Amino acid sequence: GALRHMGDSTDGDETVGGDDELIHVDTSRFRPDVLAFFVCVCAFTDNTFFSDLSSSHCRVITDDTEQSLAELRLKDLGPRTSITMIMVHRDEASPTGWTLKSISQPDSLARNWGYLIPTMKNVLGHSGLVPGLRGSAQDRVAILSKGQSFKIGDTTDHVPDVWVMGL
């Protein structure tokens, strides 16, 4: 596929060329209807903040020359749990067909990309890629792993009587 995650690291041992985790992106393999994608970084573990991670960083580099396109020291964000770092969107005027746009929108609540959906929707709307698109707290999606919990009020203003759980 267009995106390949090379595995999740939770120990911070920086075994892959100084990087704990790698995600390979091949934009030539995206379907034509994909307008953009986002790079978001989240501290998935409860009660962990970027400020707790002494050597944490995120960088976007080219695959062939390893030229840095974007870099961020996560510890510098302080007591945050996530950041919408960049958006990469189609751009016919670009020689590669894609343009990287810095977003740098931190969040103190999100533990996964599902909580960042309102931010991503707002960026798409304000950029003109999807005119009129607006995000709200009700767009948040809780993505949980075994044993995790979330506050219902973080995803909706109304506690529903009927629930649907997807497995």
Side-chain angles (χ1 to χ4, degrees):
L3 299 171
R4 286 185 302 129
H5 193 289
M6 305 308 288
D8 189 21
S9 171
T10 58
D11 60 10
D13 64 0
E14 299 179 4
T15 57
V16 185
D19 298 316
D20 286 336
E21 301 177 31
L22 295 175
I23 300 173
H24 292 271
V25 180
D26 182 351
T27 56
S28 69
R29 298 187 74 176
F30 280 118
R31 296 186 327 241
D33 59 339
V34 173
L35 298 176
F37 64 93
F38 291 84
V39 173
C40 303
V41 182
C42 301
F44 194 72
T45 305
D46 289 337
N47 300 315
T48 300
F49 299 91
F50 290 147
S51 56
D52 300 329
L53 310 172
S54 62
S55 65
S56 61
H57 68 277
C58 182
R59 64 188 185 132
V60 178
I61 60 173
T62 60
D63 192 33
D64 52 352
T65 65
E66 293 194 11
Q67 173 189 359
S68 179
L69 302 176
E71 290 191 46
L72 179 64
R73 282 180 26 101
L74 298 173
K75 183 175 181 71
D76 294 345
L77 297 173
R80 305 297 184 130
T81 58
S82 64
I83 185 166
T84 305
M85 186 174 166
I86 61 170
M87 173 179 72
V88 180
H89 64 89
R90 289 195 187 270
D91 182 356
E92 292 179 11
S94 170
T96 63
W98 297 86
T99 294
L100 183 147
K101 177 178 174 53
S102 175
I103 306 301
S104 297
Q105 179 65 49
D107 189 282
S108 298
L109 185 64
R111 292 283 175 189
N112 58 68
W113 63 268
Y115 272 43
L116 300 174
I117 290 173
T119 298
M120 291 184 270
K121 281 185 162 185
N122 287 328
V123 168
L124 287 168
H126 291 302
S127 70
L129 287 171
V130 185
L133 184 64
R134 299 286 179 263
S136 73
Q138 293 176 330
D139 296 324
R140 291 180 177 148
V141 176
I143 300 169
L144 305 174
S145 65
K146 186 176 181 178
Q148 275 195 314
S149 61
F150 73 102
K151 296 177 185 171
I152 296 169
D154 291 345
T155 58
T156 183
D157 294 329
H158 170 72
V159 179
D161 294 327
V162 179
W163 294 74
V164 176
M165 305 297 282
L167 301 175

